[in-house]
Amino acid sequence: MKKQLRIRDILENTQKIDLQLNLITGREGIDKAITAIEINRPGLTLSGFFDYFAYDRIQIFGLGETAYIKQLSRERREEIYARFFSYDIVCCVYTHNEYPDEVFIEYAKKHKVPTFVTQHPTTRFISLLTHIVEAAFAESVTIHGTLIDVFGIGILLIGKSGVGKSETALELIERGHRLIADDMVEIKKIDESLLMGSGSELIRHHMEIRGIGILNVRDIFGVRSVRNRKRIELVAELQEWDANTHYDRLGIEEQVYTILDIEVPYIIVPVRPGRNIPIIIETAALNQRLKKMGVFSAQELDKRIQEWIARENDNK
Amino acid sequence: MKEKKVKVKSDAGVHARPASILVREAMKFPCDIYIIKGQMEANGKSIMSVLGLAITKGSSLIIRANGEMEEEAVDRISALIENDFAELASK
């Protein structure tokens, strides 16, 4: 399915970026979908060259465009605007707090094209806007799992229904860690190495614990127990203990779990009564932090043992 | 894998109570069940997941099941949604 972004979504962007947009036409057309990720500077178009006019992009009028229009005669402006608005324009933005002339506003209102004025300089505005638009068009996927921030490491708990993901998360929250999302985690690929996880806005920070029902984690445990989004740095799969499965005992080789073509360190945690899963998850987080700092416990122990064996052999 | 498209007709959409009925029915099947709305995919066996879809009147959903008894599961869940959860809610 092709992604869509409405002008309204840009105004109410989730990153809380203030584009300082001032709507000078009516709100009509504000729910129109933007399908092109790029922006367009319509300089050439305003001069009368309409070939290759990228009308489906957000049109940005900088100082150059405004200055050019100002020195045109009213008749010429009318002529250009009539042609300009004969295309299905999505949205226009004037930067540097420059206002369009009344003829433009008239046409924009008539064609229901939302037009904004921003305080930002053109380059700054474009960079902010690109940030919002790219995030909106970023590849994303929803995964059945629980995302929790443990000692600053975003851990995605996955596993079959009923294996105890939510219970583990609850215990971790009790121990001072932070919940991002339970059961349904929306993951976005921000760039080639960064996966950002967040919860659906509607059910944010709620979880269901069998036997109790739906809980609002923020209300029960306080604001320190939650956060809205977190980079995913480790995937931990909870699996019912199976005597026939071979579980990793060394951790010398790192396993990975692939989400949206990005490889994330991955561990399988066997679950059985008596195993304290939250403590294991906490320790996995600490171990992951150590690895990030360049300390790899399993490999280092192995190195030490190999050195010791070599020394013993030399002494023989 | 089995799939079926359904449209939600109920004014109330799928709020807590219908969601719990849906999940309870889904739990009876051994296969994996997914409810898909647009780009969001919810686990049919998880209340929070189903609620998170924000299913309203007119929402187009795809019910997908994968595994043992997938056919029965898809039929059961889609029938439930199409009949506004009526038969179960009354019980």
Side-chain angles (χ1 to χ4, degrees):
Chain A
M1 188 175 132
K2 203 167 162 143
K3 296 221 169 184
Q4 280 195 339
L5 181 73
R6 295 169 311 163
I7 297 164
R8 181 192 292 276
D9 300 326
I10 293 183
L11 293 173
E12 301 158 1
N13 66 85
T14 45
Q15 294 104 314
K16 307 263 182 290
I17 295 173
D18 186 9
L19 290 172
Q20 303 190 5
L21 287 173
N22 181 10
L23 183 63
I24 53 168
T25 54
R27 286 183 76 84
E28 273 178 311
I30 204 164
D31 285 318
K32 239 195 283 183
I34 303 165
T35 44
I37 194 163
E38 303 92 350
I39 57 107
N40 186 47
R41 296 283 304 268
L44 209 49
T45 318
L46 295 173
S47 77
F49 186 76
F50 278 81
D51 295 10
Y52 302 105
F53 175 34
Y55 62 91
D56 54 345
R57 304 179 182 177
I58 297 170
Q59 308 294 324
I60 304 208
F61 294 73
L63 285 181
E65 281 84 357
T66 344
Y68 174 76
I69 295 166
K70 266 191 195 142
Q71 48 91 46
L72 293 178
S73 66
R74 193 185 161 102
E75 295 73 51
R76 179 67 183 148
R77 264 186 273 156
E78 289 250 15
E79 197 183 315
I80 288 289
Y81 291 157
R83 216 166 144 196
F84 183 82
F85 282 104
S86 68
Y87 290 84
D88 188 14
I89 309 284
V90 191
C91 162
C92 297
V93 180
Y94 280 74
T95 59
H96 288 280
N97 209 18
E98 290 278 349
Y99 280 72
D101 53 295
E102 26 350 315
V103 188
F104 186 93
I105 299 177
E106 223 170 86
Y107 269 99
K109 280 184 177 162
K110 198 171 115 199
H111 290 88
K112 295 177 185 137
V113 176
T115 300
F116 298 90
V117 172
T118 176
Q119 308 258 348
H120 290 298
T122 315
T123 330
R124 174 93 184 119
F125 178 77
I126 292 175
S127 107
L128 292 174
L129 183 67
T130 311
H131 201 79
I132 297 172
V133 175
E134 276 187 352
F137 282 94
E139 255 186 278
S140 71
V141 66
T142 40
I143 284 193
H144 178 226
T146 298
L147 182 59
I148 190 151
D149 170 353
V150 182
F151 297 126
I153 300 281
I155 301 187
L156 180 67
L157 297 174
I158 54 172
K160 287 220 162 65
S161 271
V163 78
K165 295 182 295 291
S166 299
E167 288 73 9
T168 302
L170 190 63
E171 168 90 44
L172 285 165
I173 293 162
E174 239 304 297
R175 298 173 66 87
H177 304 292
R178 298 185 175 125
L179 177 80
I180 293 98
D182 185 42
D183 260 343
M184 187 160 69
V185 183
E186 195 185 319
I187 302 173
K188 272 189 176 164
K189 184 177 178 176
I190 304 291
D191 62 41
E192 290 318 301
S193 64
L194 203 163
L195 291 171
M196 193 61 84
S198 61
S200 147
E201 198 155 343
L202 193 64
I203 53 161
R204 183 163 284 165
H205 304 145
H206 284 70
M207 62 197 298
E208 185 228 356
I209 297 289
R210 261 150 244 195
I212 307 176
I214 294 169
L215 302 174
N216 183 338
V217 171
R218 204 189 69 186
D219 285 354
I220 296 182
F221 298 97
V223 74
R224 75 168 99 172
S225 63
V226 292
R227 60 181 294 169
N228 287 347
R229 49 193 211 132
K230 176 74 188 140
R231 178 181 184 162
I232 298 170
E233 288 170 285
L234 180 68
V235 176
E237 177 165 2
L238 305 187
Q239 262 183 18
E240 211 119 1
W241 189 290
D242 174 15
N244 297 320
T245 309
H246 170 76
Y247 296 108
D248 190 7
R249 303 291 295 267
L250 295 172
I252 287 180
E253 253 129 76
E254 282 191 289
Q255 298 187 65
V256 292
Y257 190 89
T258 310
I259 302 169
L260 297 170
D261 298 325
I262 295 180
E263 293 184 339
V264 187
Y266 168 61
I267 54 167
I268 295 174
V269 182
V271 177
R272 81 174 167 193
R275 278 196 112 213
N276 191 331
I277 304 303
I279 304 267
I280 295 172
I281 299 294
E282 262 187 351
T283 314
L286 291 174
N287 199 31
Q288 193 56 36
R289 278 190 74 181
L290 263 180
K291 281 186 192 170
K292 265 170 78 181
M293 292 171 183
V295 185
F296 203 132
S297 312
Q299 278 174 4
E300 257 153 62
L301 178 66
D302 194 36
K303 204 170 117 204
R304 219 165 88 189
I305 292 167
Q306 285 182 20
E307 280 168 4
W308 187 82
I309 293 170
R311 237 186 355 258
E312 286 292 298
N313 285 345
D314 288 347
N315 292 343
K316 271 178 195 155
Chain B
M1 195 192 72
K2 264 282 285 173
E3 270 189 10
K4 195 174 172 190
K5 274 191 186 163
V6 288
K7 209 163 183 113
V8 179
K9 285 174 277 175
S10 156
D11 277 328
V14 177
H15 56 97
R17 224 162 271 283
S20 79
I21 295 170
L22 194 154
V23 169
R24 197 173 68 207
E25 284 303 297
M27 291 293 269
K28 293 179 183 165
F29 296 96
C31 50
D32 291 328
I33 299 172
Y34 302 95
I35 318 282
I36 298 145
K37 181 188 153 193
Q39 300 187 28
M40 290 207 287
E41 185 184 292
N43 178 352
K45 296 185 181 182
S46 146
I47 291 230
M48 293 314 297
S49 187
V50 172
L51 284 177
L53 286 182
I55 302 169
T56 52
K57 183 180 181 175
S59 292
S60 290
L61 308 175
I62 298 170
I63 314 298
R64 179 186 293 159
N66 214 340
E68 215 181 311
M69 290 178 77
E70 53 186 31
E71 190 136 7
E72 294 88 330
V74 167
D75 288 345
R76 184 84 195 98
I77 301 297
S78 40
L80 205 58
I81 294 171
E82 279 171 339
N83 298 328
D84 292 352
F85 306 89
E87 71 199 278
L88 275 143
S90 57
K91 269 183 202 167

